[in-house]
Every structure is written in C-alpha cells, then in structure tokens.
Amino acid sequence: MTSAENTGDQAARRMRWIARGTGSLVAAFWLFIGIVSAIVEPHTWTLEDAIMAGLMISSASSVLIAWWREGVGGAILVICALAHSTFAYVASGHHHGLAMLISGGPFLLVGILFLASWWRSRISQDR
C-alpha cells in the first residue's frame, strides 16, 4: 500500500502541510493560553475551566492524530471544533457568533483541510 506522503498529488501534499502547520500553531496557541492563564490566575477550577481544558487537550491531541492519520484526525478535529463553538456559544455573554468563530473556526478549517488532503490522496491512489 502506498503512503499518502508518496503520492504524486501536489495539491494534497500542500493541503496536508498547511493543515499540519496551521493546526500545530493553533493547538500550541490554545495550550499556551491555557497554561499561562492557569499560572497567572490561580483559582479553584470551575466546571467551565475543566471543560475548556478538556477541549484544549482533545483538540491538540486530534491535531497530533491527524499528523499520523489524516482522515481520523481530521474527523475528530471537526468534532472538536463543533464542541469549541458550542461551548463558546453557551459560555459567552455577548457576541455569540464572534466567540464561536474565534474558538472553533480555526480548528474547523484545519479539520476540513486534513479531510480534503486525505480524500484527495485516496483519489490519487486509486488511479
């Protein structure tokens, strides 16, 4: 079986690397913000804090999975993006749309890029 890295499809390769780079940056940013927030503002964790930490860890983990398995990781990443957006809608006081876009939008974009790259590389393998 041919690896997705060895296919001749340049577009799939570009999408894959854009998704990997962007996903890694977004996940690192969220983890950095979470760690700094926990250090700077030490307080007793609420349910909201625990959910946000779980979302950050699951999103970063799904980016790592997508480096190894694009299809599975991309699908999990899309689910995490929807969870981020849903949580932002519930937790934000105002501007629900902006909160949803900021928290879930980048992960949704990266997840779709991983899925598109996986799909495109599968098509080129079948040729």
Side-chain angles (χ1 to χ4, degrees), residues 18-38:
I18 290 170
R20 285 176 175 176
T22 306
S24 297
L25 286 173
V26 170
F29 173 75
W30 274 104
L31 289 174
F32 176 76
I33 293 297
I35 291 168
V36 168
S37 175

Side-chain angles (χ1 to χ4, degrees), residues 28-51:
F29 173 75
W30 274 104
L31 289 174
F32 176 76
I33 293 297
I35 291 168
V36 168
S37 175
I39 292 171
V40 172
E41 302 171 9
H43 65 289
T44 306
W45 276 38
T46 63
L47 178 61
E48 186 175 315
D49 297 330
I51 292 171

Side-chain angles (χ1 to χ4, degrees), residues 14-96:
R14 281 190 196 115
M15 280 191 286
R16 181 178 305 114
W17 281 105
I18 290 170
R20 285 176 175 176
T22 306
S24 297
L25 286 173
V26 170
F29 173 75
W30 274 104
L31 289 174
F32 176 76
I33 293 297
I35 291 168
V36 168
S37 175
I39 292 171
V40 172
E41 302 171 9
H43 65 289
T44 306
W45 276 38
T46 63
L47 178 61
E48 186 175 315
D49 297 330
I51 292 171
M52 196 64 210
L55 286 171
M56 288 178 197
I57 292 168
S58 62
S59 297
S61 299
S62 61
V63 169
L64 288 175
I65 291 169
W67 270 77
W68 176 54
R69 295 270 208 210
E70 294 169 341
V72 174
I76 296 170
L77 202 50
V78 167
I79 292 168
C80 286
L82 295 175
H84 269 281
S85 293
T86 303
F87 180 72
Y89 182 80
V90 171
S92 66
H94 302 288
H95 308 291
H96 297 293

